[in-house]
Amino acid sequence: MRRGAAFAARPTPWPARYWNARSTSAPRSHRFNCAVPACCSQASGRLRREAPMHDGLLRIGSAAVPYRYGADCTDGLAEGIEALGLGSAIVVIDEAVQSHAEPLLSRLGQRMQVRPIVIAGAEQHKRLSLVEEVLDRAVAEGADRTSAILAMGGGLVGNVAGLAASLLFRGVRLVHLPTTPVAAFDAVLSLKQGVNLRSGKNLCGAYTAPAMIGCDLTWLTTIPRRGLLTGIAEMAKNVLAVVPGRERDFEEALANLPDRPVAAFTTLFELGFDSKAPMLRTDPNEKKAALVFEYGHTVGHALESVAAGAMSHGEAVAWGMLTAAEASAQLGHLGDADLKRHYRLLSHLELPAPRIALERFDLESLATRLRSDNKRGHIPCPPESAPMVLLRRLGEPVADGDGMPLIPVSIGTALDAFEKVTATEEL
Ligand SMILES: NC(=O)c1ccc[n+]([C@@H]2O[C@H](COP(=O)([O-])OP(=O)(O)OC[C@H]3O[C@@H](n4cnc5c(N)ncnc54)[C@H](O)[C@@H]3O)[C@@H](O)[C@H]2O)c1
Ligand SMILES: [Zn+2]
């Protein structure tokens, strides 16, 4: 990649008024659904019913991460960020969400220096070179150890900015402001910050606890339907692999998406949070029981990597889950009824016809990626195999003797299962 190719064109689209701290005595104008209970009680009935502010602490190991999720909650988010006492905010923004960022940055600019860095979010740019560009720009914009990096965008921006925050001056604070379902309901509920190497997905990274997570669910309403549906694949993963009892909530959220998107997003947030939070508390680095969240991600990452930007993370994970389910069935772990439930649940995501979507992947490229899966080493894995999460029934992974929800699956079995998925008539 040409250096800087992932950056949106300079000059910065931000007016200079964002760039300088203003008086700290600016009046606060609370709006409905801000994080202040007294104010929220004034909220408009509809929004309040659909999107009460979720405001609390996410415990990831010893870290307690404040989070705020609501709708039209600029003031609540700004107050949370201001409470961190930052010297300045370096805001890494996906170019697609600049208009969403404007009110928040404008408000933050009244209290602190705000330096936006706009990047083009594309998977092929999720590389160390982009992290380095962000670091150089942050320093050029005057970042110091009192600064935080704010990541506003999808999982890609979260990972790139997250890794930059863990490296800048050997670690500055990180604030996640997710704008996609993958990021809001899954990626930011994690310490993992990773970028891709030429040899594969997320092979290089660090564990970093954010200082805060904040999301205005209305940001997600500008994502095209297809992106929304495939992004929600991570929530289908949680239902299939962790909380099958929440299948009805998931389907209700999907039904609400067209007319009551904020209500749908609220349900999906609860689903993501309730699935992940209990495991992150005891397995913060996702190296033991929480590896179950890698369901669908072995073949999913291989597909995403080979697709080089032509397939979204969520879509790749959906195909990866079907492949894992087929492999689980072939190996005698998963019954036919639960295999069928996979196809039924994932059919809601309106995935493109599998043959059309997948026929361009040659099996040898997939095999190569599977051999360098980033979960290798969690368990002993013979050379011609890849570590996969398989299920014995919904919500119950196949575990090894130490309780790890990961087992080596021969590359041949994985590819057979993948071919079965591509030939399916079930979707
Ligand atoms: N634990 C983790 O760290 C973790 C977990 C899951 C996924 N991920 C990573 O996240 C990435 C996928 O994230 P993603 O699905 O959010 O993709 P993404 O960040 O690439 O965003 C997808 C597209 O949506 C656009 N976009 C973002 N917000 C928008 C909005 N509100 N309106 C309109 N367009 C918008 C972006 O410009 C981009 O084109 C992958 O790189 C994956 O590896 C990481
Ligand atoms: Zn994922």
Side-chain angles (χ1 to χ4, degrees):
M1 183 186 71
R2 181 172 63 80
R3 275 177 76 76
F7 280 96
R10 288 277 247 173
T12 171
W14 302 98
R17 64 192 161 88
Y18 295 141
W19 290 48
N20 297 304
R22 287 204 185 148
S23 155
T24 52
S25 59
R28 294 180 174 204
S29 58
H30 292 147
R31 286 192 294 174
F32 51 77
N33 282 320
C34 74
V36 181
C39 295
C40 289
S41 65
Q42 312 296 322
S44 106
R46 182 171 175 273
L47 263 183
R48 226 188 140 217
R49 214 171 37 249
E50 290 197 351
M53 174 65 92
H54 286 261
D55 183 355
L57 284 179
L58 169 66
R59 297 201 181 271
I60 311 184
S62 59
V65 181
Y67 66 87
R68 291 180 172 199
Y69 281 63
D72 286 327
C73 55
T74 302
D75 289 342
L77 297 184
E79 284 163 14
I81 295 167
E82 287 161 8
L84 300 175
L86 308 178
S88 69
I90 306 293
V91 194
V92 182
I93 305 167
D94 187 302
E95 64 176 349
V97 298
Q98 294 182 67
S99 59
H100 295 320
E102 189 170 339
L104 180 61
L105 268 58
S106 179
R107 162 71 203 256
L108 288 176
Q110 296 172 359
R111 306 294 174 94
M112 66 184 81
Q113 285 201 332
V114 175
R115 298 285 190 259
I117 298 177
V118 179
I119 66 175
E123 188 63 30
Q124 62 271 33
H125 295 148
K126 198 177 112 170
R127 302 290 298 273
L128 274 174
S129 52
L130 180 54
V131 175
E132 188 182 359
E133 296 272 4
V134 167
L135 291 169
D136 272 332
R137 283 279 279 277
V139 173
E141 299 285 10
D144 65 19
R145 289 171 198 277
T146 68
S147 306
I149 292 188
L150 279 53
M152 184 159 182
L156 179 141
V157 167
N159 279 176
V160 168
L163 189 52
S166 74
L167 295 172
L168 185 63
F169 310 123
R170 299 193 182 82
V172 297
R173 281 167 292 177
L174 166 68
V175 174
H176 278 306
L177 301 168
T179 66
T180 65
V182 169
F185 312 137
D186 189 61
V188 302
L189 307 177
S190 170
L191 303 184
K192 292 194 287 185
Q193 321 297 339
V195 295
N196 307 329
L197 299 181
R198 239 174 250 113
S199 37
K201 272 279 295 177
N202 293 347
L203 294 184
C204 172
Y207 292 103
T208 307
M212 180 187 151
I213 303 169
C215 177
D216 186 329
L217 294 167
T218 64
W219 294 337
L220 277 61
T221 58
T222 52
I223 297 173
R225 181 171 166 81
R226 184 166 141 66
L228 268 184
L229 286 174
T230 56
I232 287 166
E234 298 276 8
M235 295 305 102
K237 173 195 75 181
N238 290 342
V239 169
L240 292 167
V242 186
V243 286
R246 302 289 290 273
E247 191 171 352
R248 193 180 286 251
D249 289 341
F250 176 77
E251 293 188 324
E252 191 184 297
L254 283 173
N256 273 334
L257 258 187
D259 299 325
R260 298 179 63 220
V262 170
F265 294 145
T266 304
T267 303
L268 292 168
F269 164 70
E270 288 166 350
L271 188 51
F273 192 88
D274 294 349
S275 316
K276 290 195 94 166
M279 285 207 210
L280 293 177
R281 206 173 180 134
T282 53
D283 184 13
N285 291 345
E286 301 175 57
K287 287 182 167 175
K288 296 178 188 127
L291 278 166
V292 69
F293 297 116
E294 291 290 322
Y295 189 52
H297 280 63
T298 304
V299 169
H301 276 164
L303 283 170
E304 196 182 357
S305 185
V306 173
M311 181 179 275
S312 73
H313 180 74
E315 188 185 337
V317 169
W319 297 119
M321 283 190 280
L322 291 172
T323 307
E326 287 285 1
S328 304
Q330 272 177 37
L331 294 170
H333 300 300
L334 192 71
D336 199 44
D338 281 348
L339 178 60
K340 279 201 159 62
R341 273 175 83 185
H342 276 73
Y343 282 100
R344 201 187 69 77
L345 198 73
L346 293 171
S347 69
H348 295 310
L349 305 185
E350 299 172 14
L351 296 166
R355 277 198 196 83
I356 298 169
L358 304 173
E359 65 191 2
R360 59 198 139 109
F361 295 103
D362 79 281
L363 293 184
E364 200 33 59
S365 313
L366 277 185
T368 304
R369 301 302 163 138
L370 288 172
R371 288 184 196 106
S372 61
D373 183 87
N374 71 354
K375 294 180 290 303
R376 292 192 86 79
H378 280 305
I379 52 164
C381 219
E384 272 310 298
S385 66
M388 284 178 73
V389 178
L390 299 186
L391 296 184
R392 65 173 75 256
R393 59 178 67 90
L394 297 195
E396 197 181 311
V398 180
D400 73 358
D402 296 327
M404 288 279 267
L406 210 54
I407 57 168
V409 175
S410 79
I411 303 281
T413 302
L415 295 182
D416 282 352
F418 176 71
E419 285 197 292
K420 206 154 181 210
V421 172
T422 64
T424 187
E425 304 287 329
E426 301 263 355
L427 286 169

